[in-house]
């Protein structure tokens, strides 16, 4: 049994908006072991990014966190002081944002932005780098992110780079501090498929080489298939299923997961993927019971009344669905 | 960086605009009713004397010819004789302009020193009591014109509390420093005359602050909203997630993009500042361009009218070029797009 690195329990996140409160994350729980590769899958708007922002403690100003326990190496991130948080962000966890264009400051050269990150992450471990050492380290990180001509990249503004390059710059920035856990929020989805594929392979190679854990977020199961060890399936702010990757593909339990799998485009089959009918429920007034009830073809009376708990269906395959008991 | 090309282009464009402005004001001043020659001389002046002055002023020539003469003189360093002072308008302007420039300069210093920190603070503390107070004041500052502030300051600080002088640039009995730049504060510093410097500052405070309040309010509001907008941008959250120190995030990564709209709007605020300066100068008896300009209008002193307008236009144009250069330094996208064109 390997050691637990990150353990999220009872995470609830709401957003205050004009006209009410969006109850987005509802009792999210997930666990990442050391050196483990974990996938977090769910369609757009189900709360994947919000979960990761809660872990990094970078939720937007209108977020409310009524309840959360987020343990990293046994310490509750929610209770960390500013300096502990700084240490965590500079030395342990790093996040690659969903949109690399938005994640880079438009008015500073990559040099300015990357140098600061390199300088402060090293300062945290007691190394006060000279300008030259900072540059060497920055170039090394860019090379690690498979960027050719790192010197030219350093001298560019974000808008002078292609989408793929920006994505790699963001990866390089994350590598400066992701010594334990890398969070990759749908890397490459904004790019074309071949580049997305390259990015995923690069990330896989990096985390396997550096033996760090990764949470890889995606809206499609197919994208993480050859990458992660375990998969969490998320729907409307709830984790609905968790299992090893092979189990999920062999025997998906939750009706939502089944729908997602049917939506994986088959290279041979062609045609439009089936998908799941309907949309994510309104977060202002989510269903009292199972949040998937409005779209579920197996819905039973109990699903309307009660929230399903995660139950173990054997072999560490967990599912939150009344079809498999209460 | 080809900032010089950009600058050259902007300057060329400005010359073009200024020539346009000169044609406009030259024509306007002449088509307004009233005969400048008759107004310049005493009402009892004989007809032949008036006719001679008209001849001298070339008022009998067609308008385009008159303009070309004016342009030729302007390029050789003369803006024509003032009918009121009987001196070259350029000489008059070099006498009165420094007082106005000094007033504007101090208004701008107040503006930059207050608007940006206040806006940043309100933005970072958005929707708290601090922000609400700032927004309240900003609302007042934007809606009330500068001359009203000037009158209030004059009454409250000048007459009731008597904590600051309200007339002119120096107290009676204080000697003006030798004229180097014409700005008393700078000249007194250069010549090491500290007490004159303090006296000049005390005279500047009320009028320049009255002038600055509007722009301060306007720019604080704009800074606030762009700070609020940028605080929620991914790149700021990313900087936090990388564990950068808070000071560095605010003073570098947040400040630079947030100031771009503020500085851009400053170009426009400088224009309105110059307009209001005329009224504020009158209220504080400030010996700047306003009295000269007003008398020129009333007496239909053609060359002086054109001269005052052109100098105002020139100051405005220079201020805007400076603003544009600062913005293009802050925002590489503007610089590069200009370059590509
Ligand atoms: N600051 C906010 N204010 C209000 N609502 C928000 C805010 N941030 C996120 N939400 C809402 O929370 C829900 C979850 O958003 P989130 O970005 O976590 O989804 P996601 O799973 O990452 O989706 P995607 O695949 O599109 O990135 C969405 O309905 C979104 O509109
Ligand atoms: Mg997302």
């Amino acid at each position: 049994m390997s050691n637990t690195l990150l353990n999220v329990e009872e995470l609830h996140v709401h957003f205050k908006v004009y006209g009410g409160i969006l109850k987005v994350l509802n009792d999210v729980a997930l666990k990442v072991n050391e050196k483990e590769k974990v996938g977090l899958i769910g369609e757009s708007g189900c709360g994947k990014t919000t979960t990761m922002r809660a872990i990094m403690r970078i939720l937007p100003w209108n977020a409310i966190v009524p309840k959360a326990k987020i343990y990293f190496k046994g310490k509750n991130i929610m209770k960390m002081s500013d300096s502990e948080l700084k240490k965590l962000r500079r030395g342990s966890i790093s996040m690659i944002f969903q949109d690399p264009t938005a994640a880079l400051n438009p008015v500073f050269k990559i040099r300015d932005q990357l140098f600061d990150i390199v300088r402060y992450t090293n300062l945290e471990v007691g190394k006060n780098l000279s300008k030259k050492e900072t540059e060497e380290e920055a170039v090394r990180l860019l090379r690690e992110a498979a960027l050719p001509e790192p010197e030219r990249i350093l001298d560019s503004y974000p808008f002078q780079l292609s989408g793929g390059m920006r994505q790699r710059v963001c990866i390089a920035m994350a590598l400066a501090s992701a010594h334990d856990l890398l969070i990759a929020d749908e890397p490459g989805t904004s790019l074309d498929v071949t580049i997305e594929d390259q990015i995923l392979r690069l990330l896989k190679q990096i985390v396997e080489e550096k033996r760090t854990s990764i949470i890889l977020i995606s809206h499609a199961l197919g994208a993480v298939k050859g990458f992660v060890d375990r998969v969490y399936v998320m729907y409307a702010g709830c984790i609905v299923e968790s299992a090893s990757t092979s189990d999920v593909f062999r025997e998906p339990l939750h009706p939502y997961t089944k729908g997602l799998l049917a939506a994986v485009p088959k290279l041979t089959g062609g045609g439009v993927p089936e998908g799941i009918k309907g949309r994510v429920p309104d977060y202002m007034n989510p269903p009292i019971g199972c949040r998937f009830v409005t779209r579920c073809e197996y819905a039973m009376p109990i699903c309307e009344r009660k929230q399903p708990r995660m139950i173990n269906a054997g072999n560490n395959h967990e599912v939150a669905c009344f079809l498999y008991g209460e | 960086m080809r900032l010089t090309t950009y600058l050259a282009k902007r300057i060329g464009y400005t010359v073009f605009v200024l020539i346009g402005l000169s044609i406009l004001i030259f024509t306007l001043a002449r088509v307004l009713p009233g005969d400048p020659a008759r107004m310049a001389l005493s009402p009892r002046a004989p007809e032949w004397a008036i006719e001679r002055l008209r001849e001298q002023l070339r008022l009998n020539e067609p308008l385009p010819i008159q303009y070309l003469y004016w342009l030729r003189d302007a390029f050789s360093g003369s803006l024509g004789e003032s009918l009121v002072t009987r001196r070259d308008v350029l000489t008059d302007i070099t006498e009165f302009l420094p007082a106005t420039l000094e007033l504007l300069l101090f208004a701008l210093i107040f503006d930059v020193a207050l608007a940006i920190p206040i806006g940043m603070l309100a933005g970072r503390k958005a929707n708290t009591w601090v922000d609400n107070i700032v927004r309240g004041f900003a609302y007042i500052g934007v809606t009330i014109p500068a001359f009203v502030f000037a009158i209030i300051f004059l009454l409250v600080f000048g007459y009731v509390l008597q904590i600051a002088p309200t007339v002119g640039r120096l107290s009676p009995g204080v000697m003006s420093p030798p004229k180097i730049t014409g700005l008393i504060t700078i000249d007194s510093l250069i010549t090491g005359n500290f007490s004159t410097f303090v006296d000049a500052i005390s005279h500047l405070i009320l009028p320049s602050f009255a002038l600055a309040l509007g722009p301060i309010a306007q720019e604080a509001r704009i800074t606030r909203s762009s700070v609020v907008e940028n605080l929620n941008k991914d790149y700021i959250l990313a900087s936090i997630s990388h564990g950068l120190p808070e000071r560095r995030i605010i003073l570098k990564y947040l400040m630079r993009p947030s100031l771009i709209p503020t500085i851009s709007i400053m170009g426009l605020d400088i224009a309105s500042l110059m307009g209001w300066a005329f009224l504020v100068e009158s209220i504080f008896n400030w010996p700047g361009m306003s009295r000269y300009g007003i008398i020129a209008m009333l007496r239909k002193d053609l060359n002086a009218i054109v001269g005052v307008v052109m100098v105002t236009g020139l100051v405005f144009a220079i201020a805007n070029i400076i603003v544009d250069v600062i913005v293009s330094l802050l925002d590489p996208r503007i610089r590069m797009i200009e370059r590509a064109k």
Side-chain angles (χ1 to χ4, degrees):
Chain A
M1 186 73 202
S2 42
N3 291 330
T4 306
L5 184 67
L6 177 76
N7 188 7
V8 179
E9 286 173 5
E10 299 176 57
L11 174 61
H12 296 256
V13 175
H14 298 172
F15 290 111
K16 216 168 18 174
V17 290
Y18 183 75
I21 287 177
L22 301 174
K23 301 174 198 72
V24 176
L25 295 192
N26 180 39
D27 201 14
V28 167
L30 57 86
K31 222 183 237 183
V32 180
N33 290 329
E34 277 174 13
K35 303 182 195 78
E36 194 182 20
K37 299 189 282 281
V38 169
L40 180 62
I41 314 300
E43 66 196 309
S44 187
C46 73
K48 307 181 295 292
T49 300
T50 304
T51 308
M52 296 306 125
R53 291 197 164 173
I55 294 171
M56 293 298 298
R57 291 275 304 270
I58 49 166
L59 286 167
W61 65 276
N62 64 337
I64 309 164
V65 185
K67 213 170 170 192
K69 290 182 205 156
I70 304 173
Y71 296 99
F72 183 79
K73 291 185 176 170
K75 235 180 154 275
N76 193 346
I77 293 181
M78 295 309 293
K79 297 210 168 112
M80 282 189 180
S81 66
D82 281 355
S83 68
E84 285 174 309
L85 271 179
K86 214 162 263 174
K87 201 170 154 75
L88 179 85
R89 291 165 176 158
R90 288 182 185 176
S92 299
I93 313 185
S94 207
M95 175 161 166
I96 301 165
F97 280 55
Q98 185 162 357
D99 176 359
T101 306
L104 294 171
N105 197 310
V107 300
F108 288 98
K109 286 186 176 166
I110 304 301
R111 177 185 299 278
D112 279 316
Q113 308 186 42
L114 186 53
F115 275 26
D116 267 350
I117 294 169
V118 168
R119 193 170 309 129
Y120 288 106
T121 49
N122 277 281
L123 218 52
E124 196 61 38
V125 292
K127 276 192 276 184
N128 196 349
L129 298 191
S130 68
K131 207 163 177 152
K132 191 160 160 283
E133 291 167 319
T134 310
E135 170 139 10
E136 282 165 8
E137 177 64 7
V139 166
R140 190 186 67 72
L141 289 168
L142 291 174
R143 287 235 166 81
E144 208 171 334
L147 275 162
E149 299 181 78
E151 289 294 341
R152 191 180 68 82
I153 304 279
L154 283 178
D155 280 323
S156 305
Y157 288 98
F159 69 94
Q160 295 173 305
L161 302 175
S162 71
M165 285 169 162
R166 277 178 228 157
Q167 180 74 76
R168 284 168 201 272
V169 167
C170 289
I171 292 174
M173 288 175 167
L175 291 181
S177 55
H179 299 309
D180 293 309
L181 173 63
L182 183 64
I183 297 171
D185 194 351
E186 308 202 25
T189 29
S190 56
L191 310 168
D192 74 66
V193 217
T194 46
I195 298 180
E196 179 181 358
D197 201 51
Q198 284 172 15
I199 298 278
L200 286 176
R201 264 186 293 166
L202 172 73
L203 283 175
K204 183 163 190 239
Q205 179 212 325
I206 289 173
V207 293
E208 282 175 359
E209 229 165 65
K210 301 181 66 167
R211 303 168 69 73
T212 53
S213 308
I214 185 170
I215 301 177
L216 178 67
I217 295 177
S218 177
H219 52 257
L221 266 167
V224 302
K225 193 174 179 185
F227 194 137
V228 300
D229 312 319
R230 270 165 73 71
V231 168
Y232 284 93
V233 179
M234 193 166 200
Y235 177 75
C238 304
I239 300 288
V240 297
E241 184 161 358
S242 125
S244 70
T245 312
S246 54
D247 280 353
V248 169
F249 277 91
R250 205 183 51 239
E251 198 194 359
L253 295 180
H254 200 282
Y256 178 64
T257 316
K258 289 179 184 169
L260 276 183
L261 268 177
V264 173
K266 306 219 170 44
L267 282 176
T268 45
V272 186
E274 218 176 291
I276 312 161
K277 285 189 197 68
R279 302 186 339 157
V280 181
D282 172 19
Y283 284 117
M284 199 93 75
N285 301 298
I288 302 161
C290 173
R291 287 194 172 181
F292 190 55
V293 67
T294 49
R295 295 165 76 182
C296 183
E297 34 180 321
Y298 308 99
M300 304 176 289
I302 187 172
C303 305
E304 307 236 1
R305 293 196 315 269
K306 219 175 143 193
Q307 287 188 6
R309 285 184 304 125
M310 278 293 231
I311 49 173
N312 198 334
N315 193 24
N316 265 330
H317 192 152
E318 292 185 82
V319 63
C321 178
F322 290 116
L323 288 175
Y324 306 94
E326 279 187 41
Chain B
M1 185 173 55
R2 273 184 247 143
L3 194 62
T4 40
T5 346
Y6 176 64
L7 209 57
K9 235 191 265 177
R10 283 299 319 250
I11 291 173
Y13 175 72
T14 303
V15 169
F16 204 70
V17 170
L18 285 178
I19 288 179
L21 178 66
S22 70
I23 294 175
L24 190 72
I25 189 63
F26 194 87
T27 314
L28 267 180
R30 276 163 177 74
V31 297
L32 288 176
D35 182 350
R38 195 176 294 275
M39 287 163 86
L41 302 173
S42 80
R44 294 165 176 280
E47 207 56 40
W48 60 264
I50 293 171
E51 192 51 37
R52 203 179 59 184
L53 187 57
R54 290 182 59 85
E55 207 50 52
Q56 210 183 338
L57 290 170
R58 302 198 189 92
L59 287 177
N60 294 331
E61 308 271 355
L63 207 55
I65 304 292
Q66 290 184 39
Y67 176 74
L68 287 178
Y69 275 121
W70 179 86
L71 203 59
R72 187 198 63 188
D73 292 347
F75 276 105
S76 58
S78 159
L79 291 177
E81 195 187 79
S82 159
L83 296 177
V84 178
T85 64
R86 291 285 168 187
R87 296 189 301 182
D88 195 294
V89 168
L90 199 60
T91 317
D92 288 341
I93 286 173
T94 40
E95 183 178 336
F96 298 119
L97 184 63
T100 299
L101 284 183
E102 190 164 39
L103 192 59
L104 289 177
L105 181 72
F106 272 76
L108 264 180
I109 290 174
F110 273 127
D111 181 23
V112 174
L114 291 174
I116 292 172
I118 289 176
M120 294 276 299
L121 181 74
R124 285 184 52 213
K125 307 251 181 242
N127 302 313
T128 63
W129 62 271
V130 180
D131 182 34
N132 290 335
I133 290 178
V134 170
R135 276 198 288 183
F137 275 114
Y139 187 71
I140 296 171
V142 171
T143 40
I144 295 180
F147 73 88
V148 176
F149 286 126
I151 293 170
I152 294 173
F153 284 5
L154 186 85
L155 294 176
V156 175
F157 299 109
Y159 294 129
V160 179
L161 301 175
Q162 304 211 343
I163 50 175
T166 55
V167 178
R169 299 173 81 185
L170 287 172
S171 303
V174 176
M175 281 268 289
S176 253
K179 189 166 172 175
I180 303 167
T181 60
L183 307 191
I184 291 181
T185 47
I186 295 178
D187 290 349
S188 62
L189 273 189
I190 293 175
T191 55
N193 198 338
F194 197 68
S195 61
T196 310
F197 175 74
V198 172
D199 190 59
I201 295 268
S202 74
H203 280 80
L204 273 162
I205 284 180
L206 292 185
S208 59
F209 196 63
L211 261 181
L213 271 175
I216 290 173
Q218 164 105 335
E219 287 151 26
R221 267 158 56 120
I222 286 174
T223 310
R224 176 202 175 268
S225 55
S226 71
V227 164
V228 169
E229 192 190 317
N230 281 311
L231 269 178
N232 280 307
K233 287 268 169 78
D234 273 5
Y235 52 78
I236 294 299
L237 297 176
S239 300
I240 298 172
S241 85
H242 286 124
L244 300 188
E246 194 182 350
R247 270 177 63 93
R248 191 138 190 101
I249 296 175
I250 289 165
L251 294 180
K252 181 175 176 181
Y253 294 109
L254 176 64
M255 183 128 142
R256 180 118 153 220
S258 300
L259 285 190
I260 292 168
T262 311
I263 308 271
S264 311
I265 216 74
M266 227 172 237
L268 295 175
D269 283 346
I270 291 172
S272 74
L273 217 56
M274 283 194 309
W276 291 121
F278 274 68
L279 280 172
V280 172
E281 281 185 5
S282 307
I283 292 167
F284 285 93
N285 228 325
W286 195 259
M289 293 275 284
S290 79
R291 197 185 315 157
Y292 185 67
I294 290 167
I295 292 173
M297 296 286 179
L298 294 178
R299 300 277 293 270
K300 213 154 180 255
D301 186 353
L302 288 181
N303 288 330
I305 293 174
V306 176
V308 168
V309 170
M310 290 313 293
V311 166
T312 314
L314 186 68
V315 172
F316 178 52
I318 291 172
N320 269 280
I321 289 178
I322 294 173
V323 162
D324 280 358
V325 167
I326 294 175
V327 169
S328 81
L329 286 176
L330 287 179
D331 192 346
R333 290 164 295 185
I334 291 179
R335 204 158 65 223
M336 309 284 175
I337 291 164
E338 282 292 328
R339 194 198 278 186
K341 265 200 269 183

